[in-house]
């Protein structure tokens, strides 16, 4: 296994802006770090399940993946554009009960099952770096846990950023939301162009 390439892929993909990271930062900015911890844990748990499913389904879908890759890429881009629209159209209210409901463990965990970018990431990481070298149950479980842990760390990092700069971002919320939405649009376009 090309370990350096694997680690670079995992860390760059996990820590760059994406739906989980941007949502964690927005929630931490709006509700604070402690209230966002459940969201981050939910992302990690959901991502762990997605990684395990990606590992075992990769074994079954080796020949089928190229046929659905474009559709999944297109769905990921549409999902990111949807999130960008939601961010831009969000109100600057200090109390948002609907957002608080979305800032919970279960919501974040379920979000992973409709996050095509995360699913594509799992399929890509597993099919490129893991399955060609490791197929035992223990190794698939270990790598799934590792990928989910890195995903959790990235989400936590982004929520810490949102929490630390809460006062500053509160003052410039609309500009900040616009920048975050544009980052999501950029992510969507870059996925389609690749």
């Amino acid at each position: 296994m090309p370990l350096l390439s694997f680690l670079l892929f995992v860390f760059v993909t996990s820590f760059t802006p994406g739906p989980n990271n941007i949502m964690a930062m927005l929630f931490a900015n709006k509700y604070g770090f402690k209230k966002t911890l459940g969201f981050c844990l939910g992302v990690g748990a959901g991502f762990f399940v997605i990684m395990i499913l990606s590992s075992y389904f990769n074994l079954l879908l080796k020949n089928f993946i190229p046929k659905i890759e474009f559709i999944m890429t297109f769905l990921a881009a549409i999902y990111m554009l949807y999130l960008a629209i939601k961010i831009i159209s969000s109100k600057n209210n200090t109390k948002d009960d609907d957002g608080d409901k979305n800032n919970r463990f279960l919501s974040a965990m379920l979000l992973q099952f409709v996050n095509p970018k995360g699913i594509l990431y799992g399929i890509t990481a597993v099919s490129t770096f893991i399955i060609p070298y490791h197929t035992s149950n223990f190794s698939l479980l270990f790598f799934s846990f590792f990928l989910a842990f890195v995903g959790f760390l990235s989400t936590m990092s982004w929520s810490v950023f949102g929490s630390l700069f809460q006062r500053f971002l509160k003052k410039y919320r609309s500009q900040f939301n616009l920048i975050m939405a544009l980052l999501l649009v950029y992510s969507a376009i870059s996925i389609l162009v690749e």
Side-chain angles (χ1 to χ4, degrees):
M1 169 193 268
L3 188 60
L4 181 61
S5 298
F6 171 66
L7 292 175
L8 286 173
F9 173 78
V10 167
F11 282 96
V12 168
T13 306
S14 295
F15 282 89
T16 53
N20 291 330
N21 293 338
I22 291 173
M23 296 303 286
M25 185 168 53
L26 289 171
F27 284 144
N29 174 254
K30 194 166 192 175
Y31 304 110
F33 179 73
K34 286 183 182 178
K35 288 188 177 181
T36 306
L37 188 57
F39 178 82
C40 294
L41 290 170
V43 166
F47 208 65
F48 177 68
V49 173
I50 293 296
M51 291 305 107
I52 288 177
L53 292 175
S54 292
S55 295
Y56 287 103
F57 282 119
N58 242 333
L59 291 173
L60 298 172
L61 301 175
K62 241 180 184 176
N63 297 325
F64 187 66
I65 288 172
K67 297 174 186 171
I68 65 168
E69 185 175 7
F70 176 75
I71 293 169
M72 291 300 291
T73 301
F74 187 71
L75 290 174
I78 288 173
Y79 174 68
M80 286 185 220
L81 291 174
Y82 165 76
L83 286 176
I85 290 168
K86 292 292 281 181
I87 290 170
I88 287 176
S89 64
S90 70
K91 306 231 182 321
N92 289 337
N93 298 343
T94 56
K95 185 125 176 155
D96 182 3
D97 293 333
D98 185 42
D100 193 36
K101 289 178 187 171
N102 294 325
N103 189 22
R104 297 202 179 133
F105 178 87
L106 187 59
S107 298
M109 186 173 174
L110 294 175
L111 174 68
Q112 303 318 299
F113 294 93
V114 295
N115 181 356
K117 182 183 178 225
I119 294 168
L120 282 174
Y121 166 72
I123 290 171
T124 303
V126 170
S127 66
T128 305
F129 295 106
I130 299 170
I131 296 293
Y133 307 98
H134 306 281
T135 56
S136 72
N137 288 330
F138 176 77
S139 60
L140 293 178
L141 186 64
F142 171 78
F143 283 112
S144 296
F145 179 76
F146 174 75
L147 293 172
F149 183 70
V150 172
F152 169 75
L153 288 179
S154 72
T155 306
M156 287 290 290
S157 299
W158 279 76
S159 62
V160 166
F161 174 78
S163 177
L164 288 176
F165 295 99
Q166 192 170 21
R167 287 185 189 158
F168 173 78
L169 294 174
K170 196 172 278 188
K171 184 176 180 182
Y172 300 103
R173 184 175 304 277
S174 60
Q175 294 90 337
F176 175 74
N177 284 354
L178 178 64
I179 291 169
M180 291 298 107
L182 289 174
L183 283 173
L184 279 175
V185 170
Y186 171 77
S187 297
I189 291 170
S190 67
I191 285 176
L192 288 175
V193 172
E194 287 179 3

